């Protein structure tokens, strides 16, 4: 089962990101658009793992206070993934560090690439005409929980299903 831990986004942030996707599409960006319902911020990508309950147990070992995230800019990874950035914050970095520590302690493999907070907007981007100058509104949301998702390939793209979540400490 393909798994990842992520922050589910508020309706306000999703709405802002969809407007940004629409703007970019109208101004020449071509690629696989991430559907509104799939927009999220991955904290840790686990990949293939047979036991989601084990991952949820590990997640429960991670205490974190509620905190806010705020959108900031757009960028491209590897010339093919266009994303919206999220301002760096100490609580966010600490949460990811603690998640990865607990996953490693439980011998659950995960992608160890350096964490850069972002939300994927397009995959397989053709930016041969360049990325139009745009600004993602400084929309914020409170992070009160994190979720474990499974990822399945459907006939029209990826389907993300929330398996469970943990809440921020009081």
């Amino acid at each position: 089962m393909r798994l990842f831990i992520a922050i589910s986004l508020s309706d306000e942030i999703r709405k802002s990101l969809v407007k940004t996707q629409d703007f970019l599409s109208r101004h020449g960006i071509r690629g696989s658009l991430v559907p509104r319902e799939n927009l999220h911020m991955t904290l840790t990508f686990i990949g293939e793992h047979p036991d989601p309950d084990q991952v949820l147990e590990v997640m429960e070992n991670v205490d974190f206070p509620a905190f806010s995230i705020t959108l900031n800019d757009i960028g491209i990874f590897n010339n093919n993934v266009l994303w919206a950035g999220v301002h760096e914050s100490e609580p966010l970095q600490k949460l990811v560090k603690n998640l990865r520590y607990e996953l490693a302690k439980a011998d659950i493999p995960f992608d160890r690439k350096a964490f850069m907070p972002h939300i994927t907007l397009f995959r397989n981007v053709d930016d041969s005409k360049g990325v139009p100058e745009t600004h993602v509104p400084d929309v914020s949301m409170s992070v009160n929980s994190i979720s474990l998702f499974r990822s399945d390939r459907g006939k029209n793209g990826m389907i993300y299903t929330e398996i469970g979540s943990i809440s921020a400490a009081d």
Side-chain angles (χ1 to χ4, degrees):
M1 179 176 317
R2 194 168 186 254
L3 303 173
F4 62 93
I5 301 169
I7 294 172
S8 294
L9 303 175
S10 69
D11 287 339
E12 183 180 11
I13 284 191
R14 286 178 195 264
K15 184 177 178 182
S16 177
L17 293 173
V18 167
K19 284 183 180 178
T20 301
Q21 288 174 314
D22 290 345
F23 174 86
L24 292 168
S25 292
R26 287 192 317 272
H27 289 85
I29 293 296
R30 300 289 172 256
S32 299
L33 182 86
V34 175
R36 175 184 169 81
E37 64 272 11
N38 282 0
L39 293 169
H40 66 277
M41 187 171 77
T42 300
L43 300 173
T44 305
F45 180 76
I46 296 167
E48 292 297 327
H49 188 73
D51 190 355
D53 290 333
Q54 180 191 24
V55 177
L56 284 169
E57 286 175 26
V58 166
M59 289 170 61
E60 289 173 5
N61 293 333
V62 178
D63 287 331
F64 66 97
F67 61 93
S68 292
I69 58 171
T70 304
L71 298 177
N72 64 2
D73 226 342
I74 63 167
I76 293 184
F77 287 138
N78 304 324
N79 294 328
N80 70 353
V81 174
L82 193 141
W83 47 265
V86 174
H87 285 285
E88 298 268 348
S89 75
E90 186 178 330
L92 175 59
Q93 292 294 335
K94 187 174 179 183
L95 171 60
V96 171
K97 180 180 175 184
N98 290 342
L99 275 170
R100 290 177 173 203
Y101 173 79
E102 292 294 335
L103 288 167
K105 201 164 81 171
D107 291 325
I108 297 172
F110 59 92
D111 185 344
R112 294 178 182 265
K113 277 187 243 153
F115 176 70
M116 192 193 113
H118 72 281
I119 300 157
T120 300
L121 301 177
F122 292 86
R123 288 187 171 80
N124 304 313
V125 169
D126 173 8
D127 66 337
S128 56
K129 297 179 184 177
V131 177
E133 195 165 317
T134 186
H135 174 72
V136 177
D138 290 336
V139 179
S140 297
M141 68 170 268
S142 181
V143 176
N144 298 307
S145 66
I146 60 173
S147 300
L148 177 63
F149 288 89
R150 69 180 285 166
S151 173
D152 298 295
R153 190 168 302 284
K155 67 178 184 176
N156 295 318
M158 299 308 288
I159 300 166
Y160 300 150
T161 305
E162 184 178 8
I163 295 173
S165 66
I166 63 164
S167 297
D170 293 332

